[in-house]
Structures are given as C-alpha cells and as structure tokens.
Amino acid sequence: MPKKRRLAAAITLVCALTVLAAPGTAFADPAPTPSTGTPGLPGQPRTLDEVGKQIDELYRQAAVATDAYNLAEEQTKEQSAQIVRLAQQIVQGQEKIKRLKDRAGATARMQYRNGGLPPGAQLLLSGDPDSFLDGANRLRQGQQAAQGLLAELNRTQADLAAYSKDATAQWKNLEANRVKKEAAKKDITEKIAAAEKIQSQLKEQERQRLAELEQKREFDSQTAWLSTGVLKDISSSASEQGKKAVKFATDQIGKAYVWGAAGPETFDCSGLTSQAWLAAGRPIPRTSQEQWAQLPHVAIKDMRPGDLIIYFADATHVGMYIGDGAIVHSPRPGRTVTITGAGSMPILGVVRPDN
C-alpha cells in the first residue's frame, strides 16, 4: 500500500477511535480467557490478560535497556570524537615543542659562537662604547626572547601533559561505556527472547484474542484521557519546523521497529523522533530519557503538532504528537511505525524541540 494511503487509513482509524472514545460510548469488557500456559516459565500466567501483561512488562524492560544502550552508544561516539581531537592536539603539541627546542638550540649555538662573554667583558674588549651599547641592547632583547621561548616551551609541555591525561580519562570512559552497552544489549535480547517465547507457545486463536485485549487496553486509556476534555484546550498549529518533523515521521509509517535503530529503514521510538527533528533542521538528544531531561517542557494543553510526548514514569517511550489527539510512534519489537491515540499510554509530559 502506498505511503499516502497508509497514512490516510491510519488517520481515519485514529479519528474513528477518538469519536468512539467520546464520553458515553460503551465498549464491552471481555471475560478473562484461559491460556494454554507457558510451560517452564516461572510465575506462569493463567489467563490471556495475564499473558499480555507479562509480555508488555518484558517489552517495557527491553525498552529501558534500549534507552541505556542508546545513551551509552551516543556517549561512546562523543568520547571517540574527543579522543581523536585530543590525539590531534597531542601531535600538534609535540610538533610545537620540537620547533621551540630547535629555536632554543639555535640561540644557544649563536651564544657559543659569540664566546658566551658577559656584557662587562665585552665592554672591556670593545674599543667603541657606542657599538657596545647597541650590542648590549640587542643582547637584552635576545635574553627577553629566550625567556619568552622558555616560558612558551613550559606552557606547551604542560598543555601536552593535560591532553595526555584527558585522553587517558576518555579511554577509561570509553571502556566503561563499552561494558554498559554489552550489558544493555544482553538484557535487551534476553527480554525480547522471553516475550517471543511466550507468544510462540500461544495458539493462533489466543494470539488474536491477545491482540484484541491489547487494543481494548489502549482504547480504555485513550477514552479516559479524552474524557478529561483535553482536546478542548489543544488548538495550536505546528511551527514550520514542526510540520517538517511530522512529515518525516509519518513518512516512516509501516517501517519496522528495531531496537537501537535510527533509520533509514528501521527505527526504535527515540530513533524516529530524533531523526524526524534532525530532518527538520533541529538536532535533539538521541534517547527518550535525554529528550525529557534536556528539551523544554510544555503543558499538555499547550502542545502542538511536532511536540514529543514522553511516556511512563522512567521516560522510556516517546511519540510525536500530530494533532487530533494522535501520535506517530515506533512501538516495540514485532511492530511497525504507526499512528495511535496520544493517551493510549501513561503520559509523563510533553517537550518541544523548537521552543
């Protein structure tokens, strides 16, 4: 299906859900459905609702680890770039020291050729006081230049020592982040594998029913959010950069979620939002937690398309508000970039990259 048709269909679905979620609309509450169980797993769920919650929790834990991985990855890139800059400064410092030493050596050789006589001795040997005074003045200038040369040499050597110390510290940080990345990667893969194992042991009918239960939970959450009358206050239009960010994000609809990915063919949640705003000409932090920590906060009633809605108390999910109570986001492993209700998950707050 072409992108425009997918986008239109998704927006139509969200609009329909918004209407259906208006106060007074009924939605049947299904009875718990027994599951065949997941043998071998501790705390084995007994109903599909419990299965769904267990799967959701595993993916949530994977999302937490993904944010940790992405942050370590970004810090590793910054530290690697800093090490390169320090290495360049060290090379430049070494070259400068060599030039300074060459100049100092030339000065010493000149003094040796002149016999290294002190000014008083030169006066006794000179038959021309005027010539001596002129030479003494040049000598004084030479001595000042030599002192300046020595001071510059000392400063350069101190800078070189500082660069070397910084480089050593950055190498240690780089190694620490490598360890963090490996631990986060292991955690991510374990949590996703556990969730996929549970899903693989369900029958087709149970998987379909599980999807229905998930849709109901999202519907109920969106209904509760809309019932507060929040959309009455939200009327702002997008900024020019916001429009570009929304266009980029919605153009990715249908592309698969892959943890740690930031395009062009796959995305995780913050990979999508960070790349959308980069395409709009506004670089922002890579992870949802850093987006929450560093970007300006705005009230929900003041949000506009292009703003980022941060979800869950630990800020481990993010979506982009596109208007009419909807977001575009990259949900989790096994899913694709899609449009859903902005209130379908617990909202922590809203940030604005171009404030």
Side-chain angles (χ1 to χ4, degrees):
M1 181 185 293
K3 287 181 180 177
K4 288 185 178 179
R5 290 179 60 190
R6 290 203 307 268
L7 176 57
I11 292 174
T12 300
L13 175 60
V14 170
C15 289
L17 287 174
T18 301
V19 173
L20 287 173
T25 303
F27 196 99
D29 185 12
T33 304
S35 167
T36 54
T38 51
L41 290 177
Q44 177 177 310
R46 291 171 297 174
T47 69
L48 274 179
D49 189 53
E50 291 172 331
V51 169
K53 290 178 180 178
Q54 183 175 3
I55 291 172
D56 286 346
E57 179 57 25
L58 286 167
Y59 281 129
R60 282 273 301 113
Q61 292 173 13
V64 172
T66 297
D67 237 32
Y69 178 92
N70 289 337
L71 180 59
E73 175 71 9
E74 285 302 293
Q75 290 175 338
T76 295
K77 290 178 182 178
E78 293 172 4
Q79 288 154 0
S80 296
Q82 178 65 7
I83 287 171
V84 170
R85 288 191 292 269
L86 287 168
Q88 292 170 340
Q89 290 173 320
I90 288 171
V91 169
Q92 292 168 0
Q94 290 172 335
E95 292 173 347
K96 185 176 181 180
I97 286 175
K98 182 178 182 301
R99 291 195 301 270
L100 292 170
K101 286 183 176 179
D102 288 344
R103 285 170 55 189
T107 301
R109 287 191 294 273
M110 183 179 297
Q111 290 176 342
Y112 177 77
R113 286 195 296 270
N114 291 335
L117 295 175
Q122 292 183 29
L123 178 58
L124 291 174
L125 296 174
S126 174
D128 185 353
D130 291 336
S131 296
F132 166 73
L133 291 174
D134 182 57
N137 184 53
R138 288 198 302 272
L139 180 61
R140 196 162 45 247
Q141 292 175 346
Q143 289 172 334
Q144 291 173 345
Q147 290 173 349
L149 181 65
L150 182 60
E152 188 175 3
L153 182 60
N154 289 335
R155 284 195 302 271
T156 303
Q157 288 176 327
D159 288 343
L160 196 59
Y163 296 151
S164 299
K165 184 178 179 180
D166 287 347
T168 299
Q170 291 297 340
W171 274 115
K172 290 180 180 178
N173 290 336
L174 196 66
E175 175 60 17
N177 275 315
R178 185 192 67 78
V179 173
K180 288 179 184 177
K181 280 174 57 180
E182 289 303 314
K185 181 177 181 179
K186 182 175 182 290
D187 197 15
I188 294 166
T189 53
E190 286 178 351
K191 296 299 189 298
I192 292 175
E196 290 175 345
K197 182 176 181 180
I198 295 173
Q199 291 170 307
S200 71
Q201 293 177 340
L202 296 174
K203 297 177 182 178
E204 180 60 29
Q205 183 181 4
E206 290 175 322
R207 283 195 287 270
Q208 292 177 359
R209 183 63 181 143
L210 197 61
E212 292 172 1
L213 289 170
E214 181 181 346
Q215 289 175 356
K216 181 187 181 301
R217 285 195 297 272
E218 291 180 355
F219 179 91
D220 290 344
S221 181
Q222 177 76 347
T223 300
W225 185 65
L226 292 174
S227 67
T228 64
V230 64
L231 289 187
K232 295 177 183 177
D233 296 324
I234 301 174
S235 58
S236 299
S237 58
S239 65
E240 288 304 311
Q241 281 188 310
K243 290 175 183 177
K244 293 177 182 178
V246 168
K247 183 181 185 307
F248 179 94
T250 52
D251 281 348
Q252 313 313 311
I253 289 175
K255 292 186 177 180
Y257 176 104
V258 172
W259 66 268
E265 298 304 322
T266 57
F267 296 87
D268 62 19
C269 67
S270 57
L272 177 66
T273 54
S274 60
Q275 288 301 303
W277 272 101
L278 182 62
R282 186 82 172 190
I284 64 173
R286 169 64 176 85
T287 71
S288 58
Q289 291 178 334
E290 289 301 299
Q291 289 168 5
W292 174 246
Q294 297 184 33
L295 297 178
H297 293 201
V298 297
I300 290 178
K301 67 181 181 62
D302 296 325
M303 71 180 177
R304 65 192 186 194
D307 288 348
L308 306 182
I309 302 182
I310 310 296
Y311 293 96
F312 303 107
D314 53 3
T316 49
H317 190 68
V318 59
M320 179 179 291
Y321 186 64
I322 61 173
D324 297 324
I327 61 166
V328 58
H329 73 145
S330 187
R332 73 182 195 193
R335 304 291 172 82
T336 60
V337 177
T338 188
I339 291 176
T340 191
S344 60
M345 296 167 283
I347 295 175
L348 177 61
V350 180
V351 295
R352 178 167 295 164
D354 62 338
N355 196 14

